[in-house]
Amino acid sequence: MIDLRKVPFVLILLIVLCSCTGVQGVSPTEAEKSKPESQIAKTGSRSVNVNKQAAAAPEHVVIVMEENHSQKKIIGNPSAPYMNSLAKQGAYFTQSYGTDHPSQPNYLVLFSGSNQGIHSDSCGHTLNAPNLASELIKHKYTFAGYSEDLPSIGSKVCTHKQYGRKHSPWVNFTNVPESAHMRFSDFPTDYRKLPTVSFVIPNLDHDMHDGTIQSADNWLKNNLGPYVEWAKSHHSLLILTWDEDDYGSRNHIPTIMVGENIRPGNYDQKITHLNVLRMLEDMYHLPYVGATSKAEPINNVWTNNK
């Protein structure tokens, strides 16, 4: 038996307090209610916990856009060994489709959920609709578009060497800062410095528009291959897709996703650029822009989804 007269008063007090509270516990609901309001981010009609949001979403997403080739021209083609290796390493969507012809409307749909009434590759548009970049920035994330052969950061030039503004939709939007419109030479070699979401736009020789499939495949391997390997162990993601096919009747294109927490395999969910944008919005709990609220979610490619 303990002689309480020999036990310090502070220790006795601690024992009493622990015996009173140790068996009570706090239910998850009560714990959630006790959090400061600053830890809860309200986004549109949805409220999400900031910590859970950060844990669920990739730290970095890089989207690479290729040009004007159908699924059957790429998948299984020996001239594209690296792209086909990515299809085997990651999630390959066998039923992926462009939304429009020609190129520019497809880029606009993927970026803003709408072709914004533009049905051509014409240059010089000024838009202010909500879009992926504006919503990421509004919700304290970061964005950049890296375009090969862009002459200078923020340039609004229509063409320069093999750069075409029609493939860089963010430059048209007044609610996206000019500093987000960057050259591919600005793409960081320290991938930790990448924005939350970024696009990589190869020039017309390296995206298959003017150049060969083999040239585009080599460029992708040499320039994004190191990022892909890094992404697999750094909670990051590569999305490789095409704007449109070669004017086939179905506009059937490849879409491939590779990174940590991606479950490899072939997926037959029918998707378009709208579904890909919807997936990004869901990952970062952003409001839906354009027509993405009506697009089916992509949520079966993650290893934590059973």
Side-chain angles (χ1 to χ4, degrees):
M1 179 178 296
I2 299 174
D3 187 350
L4 294 178
R5 293 174 299 176
K6 297 182 179 181
V7 178
F9 175 75
V10 173
L11 181 58
I12 294 174
L13 181 61
L14 288 173
I15 293 171
V16 172
L17 288 174
C18 290
S19 64
C20 292
T21 61
V23 298
Q24 297 298 318
V26 180
S27 69
T29 301
E30 291 170 337
E32 186 68 25
K33 289 179 180 178
S34 68
K35 289 183 178 180
E37 187 174 353
S38 61
Q39 292 187 23
I40 303 297
K42 297 180 179 180
T43 307
S45 60
R46 294 170 289 177
S47 294
V48 295
N49 182 273
V50 171
N51 293 328
K52 290 181 180 179
Q53 173 180 327
E59 292 182 14
H60 307 281
V61 178
V62 176
I63 305 162
V64 180
M65 294 289 288
E66 306 285 353
E67 278 277 312
N68 299 11
H69 280 69
S70 65
Q71 176 265 351
K72 67 180 181 180
K73 292 289 182 65
I74 302 301
I75 302 302
N77 188 332
S79 294
Y82 183 65
M83 293 175 179
N84 278 274
S85 74
L86 294 179
K88 293 177 182 178
Q89 295 174 45
Y92 163 49
F93 288 84
T94 63
Q95 299 299 317
S96 176
Y97 298 88
T99 56
D100 296 87
H101 294 299
S103 293
Q104 183 163 233
N106 291 281
Y107 286 84
L108 288 165
V109 169
L110 179 55
F111 185 67
S112 69
S114 167
N115 61 24
Q116 304 299 331
I118 298 169
H119 303 283
S120 70
D121 286 336
S122 55
C123 181
H125 301 285
T126 301
L127 308 168
N128 61 7
N131 56 72
L132 176 60
S134 67
E135 295 307 311
L136 283 166
I137 294 168
K138 186 183 298 183
H139 292 86
K140 309 304 180 184
Y141 296 106
T142 52
F143 171 85
Y146 297 96
S147 302
E148 190 179 19
D149 283 351
L150 181 73
S152 60
I153 294 174
S155 172
K156 296 184 181 298
V157 66
C158 290
T159 60
H160 180 261
K161 296 182 179 179
Q162 288 296 86
Y163 161 79
R165 175 170 159 171
K166 61 186 178 180
H167 295 164
S168 301
W170 40 89
V171 71
N172 299 304
F173 287 82
T174 58
N175 52 5
V176 179
E178 291 184 0
S179 58
H181 186 33
M182 306 185 78
R183 304 160 298 185
F184 182 66
S185 59
D186 300 310
F187 192 83
T189 55
D190 181 352
Y191 303 128
R192 295 172 299 177
K193 297 180 180 179
L194 279 166
T196 311
V197 178
S198 56
F199 279 75
V200 167
I201 306 299
N203 69 23
L204 296 175
D205 284 334
H206 296 142
D207 67 2
M208 304 186 188
H209 186 283
D210 293 347
T212 65
I213 293 174
Q214 184 174 8
S215 175
D217 191 77
N218 289 337
W219 189 92
L220 183 70
K221 180 180 180 179
N222 292 336
N223 289 278
L224 275 301
Y227 166 76
V228 172
E229 296 308 309
W230 180 87
K232 293 176 184 177
S233 59
H234 289 82
H235 197 40
S236 296
L237 177 65
L238 173 81
I239 300 176
L240 175 65
T241 192
W242 275 249
D243 64 334
E244 58 179 330
D245 71 0
D246 42 7
Y247 277 80
S249 59
R250 301 177 63 201
N251 212 351
H252 192 186
I253 58 173
T255 295
I256 300 164
M257 302 182 187
V258 183
E260 189 173 4
N261 297 328
I262 287 287
R263 183 187 294 122
N266 293 351
Y267 294 81
D268 62 2
Q269 177 184 0
K270 185 175 181 180
I271 66 170
T272 70
H273 300 311
L274 281 172
N275 304 89
V276 177
L277 177 55
R278 164 71 184 257
M279 183 188 78
L280 294 168
E281 292 168 337
D282 286 340
M283 287 194 305
Y284 297 105
H285 302 278
L286 305 176
Y288 298 130
V289 300
T292 54
S293 62
K294 300 177 182 179
E296 182 181 356
I298 298 174
N299 54 22
N300 60 343
V301 298
W302 308 103
T303 55
N304 57 352
N305 285 347
K306 304 299 183 181

